[in-house]
Amino acid sequence: MHWVLPVLLAVIGVTALLVVTPVSGYRPWPYLKPNSSNLMFGGSKKFEGSSEFIHMRYHMGPVLTANITIHPIWYGRWQKSQKKIIREFINSISAVDSKHPSVAGWWKTVQLYTDQTGANISRSVLLGEEKNDRFYSHGKSLTRLSIQSVIKSAVTSRTKPLPINPKSGLYLLLTSDDVYVEDFCGQVCGFHYFTFPSIVGYTLPYAWVGNSAKLCPGVCAYPFAVPQYMPGLKPLKSPNSDVGVDGMISVIGHEVAELATNPLVNAWYAGQDPVAPVEIADLCEGIYGTGGGGSYTGQLLNDKDGATYNMNGIRRRYLVQWVWNHIVFLAFVGFGRVGVDA
Ligand SMILES: *[C@@H]1O[C@H](CO)[C@@H](O)[C@H](O)[C@H]1NC(C)=O
Ligand SMILES: *[C@@H]1O[C@H](CO)[C@@H](O)[C@H](O)[C@H]1NC(C)=O
Ligand SMILES: *[C@@H]1O[C@H](CO)[C@@H](O)[C@H](O)[C@H]1NC(C)=O
């Protein structure tokens, strides 16, 4: 039934603008009123998954099986050193020679997802052409809709437009620390969706991730910063000496994993509601190591300077949350696992 898909997409598109995806895992969101004594004293409450969440299902839509190319759009003011941390993370996804435990090992769990034909998610994730939007083309406060206009500007620019690649291109809008985006800090640190032909001219999978360093590091760069309302809890040292950007890395990993497995929001998700899908990274939000769950991050690694990380990339270390393995029903990265009380 060919007419169903466009109609459904239109309905999902309109409603998704009005509804914010619920967060099933852990971050110290203000509305959760986190309790610092729980966190400090090994509050290793396991993830409270319901069977509905754990039933990760394939809904017959496409996934990204061809070589994936990520096109960053740097919105606002970015330092060279910050771009480098993020670029090297993207390049690390397919860097199979990195020391174990590695970013490439983490991506192996994402590769376990397939489409109707049995083709796996691509192993190869490349950094594509980039675009700078240094002068805040759409202001310092963006909405979900104006984000699409920023992407439109990037793909239709008179000078060096980003290539249009609906089959395997991902457009990653990264906003600097002085930019507010709708729902940032209160409900989201990043999200992914696809562009509407009526705005951009094409259906392109995209994600937005914001630098929270000024607005809410205690939420979106947690555990490298802690919220003010959790006195006594000490932040962990970040691996690349940039709290905001190190915090973004885990959110970028989360969004890229979900874009690959659910680019048009009709492929891999759990739950009954396509408007509020629970996707493969949602199930492991806040889980970075063995034993993680609830408000406990799980066991992490420390480098000789005392910085905390859980995986190696090219020349650098990163802290990235785990993703859901639908075959063994566990949050998983190939070098550890955490059970779920179902
Ligand atoms: C925080 O959690 C601890 C241990 O679970 C509990 O004893 C304490 O009353 C809680 N504090 C608040 C403010 O809820
Ligand atoms: C492809 O997916 C199948 C099913 O999940 C899995 O058994 C297989 O190991 C995957 N192949 C690769 C290369 O990841
Ligand atoms: C995909 O990427 C690999 C290297 O990562 C390359 O060898 C291969 O030719 C690429 N395939 C296509 C169709 O571009």
Side-chain angles (χ1 to χ4, degrees):
M1 289 194 289
H2 288 102
W3 56 272
V4 174
L5 188 62
V7 171
L8 190 65
L9 287 182
V11 171
I12 292 172
V14 170
T15 24
L17 292 171
L18 307 172
V19 181
V20 173
T21 305
V23 179
S24 56
Y26 185 79
R27 258 187 197 278
W29 297 111
Y31 68 85
L32 291 178
K33 299 195 177 55
N35 176 338
S36 49
S37 52
N38 270 345
L39 280 180
M40 281 185 290
F41 303 114
S44 76
K45 203 157 113 310
K46 290 275 191 262
F47 172 73
E48 290 165 18
S50 75
S51 50
E52 181 193 50
F53 283 165
I54 291 162
H55 197 61
M56 181 60 59
R57 272 200 314 142
Y58 178 54
H59 296 79
M60 299 299 168
V63 302
L64 300 184
T65 55
N67 285 358
I68 297 168
T69 306
I70 298 183
H71 296 288
I73 301 168
W74 305 96
Y75 193 85
R77 248 179 304 154
W78 287 91
Q79 293 163 22
K80 272 202 184 114
S81 59
Q82 296 181 315
K83 289 182 171 179
K84 218 166 155 189
I85 297 169
I86 293 174
R87 285 194 191 112
E88 290 191 359
F89 173 68
I90 294 170
N91 283 327
S92 297
I93 298 175
S94 306
V96 288
D97 311 333
S98 305
K99 201 171 127 199
H100 176 87
S102 68
V103 178
W106 163 82
W107 189 255
K108 281 210 165 81
T109 300
V110 181
Q111 286 174 248
L112 292 174
Y113 290 81
T114 56
D115 68 9
Q116 287 188 43
T117 71
N120 292 73
I121 304 276
S122 172
R123 178 179 81 88
S124 165
V125 178
L126 311 165
L127 180 64
E129 280 153 69
E130 305 176 29
K131 191 79 192 161
N132 289 304
D133 193 328
R134 268 187 212 97
F135 303 110
Y136 309 85
S137 63
H138 292 73
K140 288 192 177 177
S141 179
L142 301 174
T143 62
R144 291 185 174 229
L145 279 184
S146 66
I147 278 180
Q148 296 206 17
S149 302
V150 172
I151 295 170
K152 179 185 182 173
S153 302
V155 298
T156 57
S157 161
R158 275 191 305 126
T159 55
K160 295 197 190 162
L162 289 182
I164 306 286
N165 179 357
K167 188 167 159 236
S168 60
L170 298 182
Y171 298 79
L172 183 60
L173 176 66
L174 303 167
T175 49
S176 57
D177 60 7
D178 51 351
V179 175
Y180 177 74
V181 173
E182 189 176 353
D183 297 324
F184 193 17
C185 295
Q187 281 143 326
V188 293
C189 300
F191 59 76
H192 75 93
Y193 212 64
F194 50 85
T195 62
F196 301 137
S198 56
I199 301 176
V200 179
Y202 306 89
T203 303
L204 303 173
Y206 74 90
W208 156 72
V209 180
N211 184 340
S212 66
K214 286 193 183 134
L215 294 174
C216 60
V219 177
C220 291
Y222 180 87
F224 301 132
V226 296
Q228 273 168 2
Y229 47 78
M230 296 167 76
L233 186 65
K234 279 225 307 249
L236 302 177
K237 189 171 175 206
S238 83
N240 299 288
S241 310
D242 187 318
V243 167
V245 173
D246 274 317
M248 288 176 82
I249 293 293
S250 189
V251 183
I252 292 173
H254 178 137
E255 299 305 331
V256 170
E258 292 187 344
L259 274 170
T261 51
N262 203 21
L264 300 183
V265 199
N266 60 3
W268 285 97
Y269 60 85
Q272 300 303 319
D273 188 355
V275 167
V278 176
E279 302 172 281
I280 75 163
D282 292 328
L283 286 169
C284 309
E285 172 97 41
I287 299 178
Y288 303 89
T290 306
S295 56
Y296 176 54
T297 55
Q299 282 172 30
L300 305 174
L301 302 167
N302 283 301
D303 70 14
K304 62 180 186 338
D305 300 323
T308 300
Y309 70 103
N310 68 346
M311 25 188 116
N312 295 291
I314 304 169
R315 293 183 292 275
R316 289 176 190 274
R317 296 173 166 141
Y318 297 103
L319 182 69
V320 184
Q321 68 151 82
W322 288 7
V323 288
W324 187 252
N325 182 322
H326 67 298
I327 295 171
V328 296
F329 297 103
L330 291 168
F332 197 80
V333 279
F335 48 84
R337 58 179 73 183
V338 53
V340 170
D341 307 330

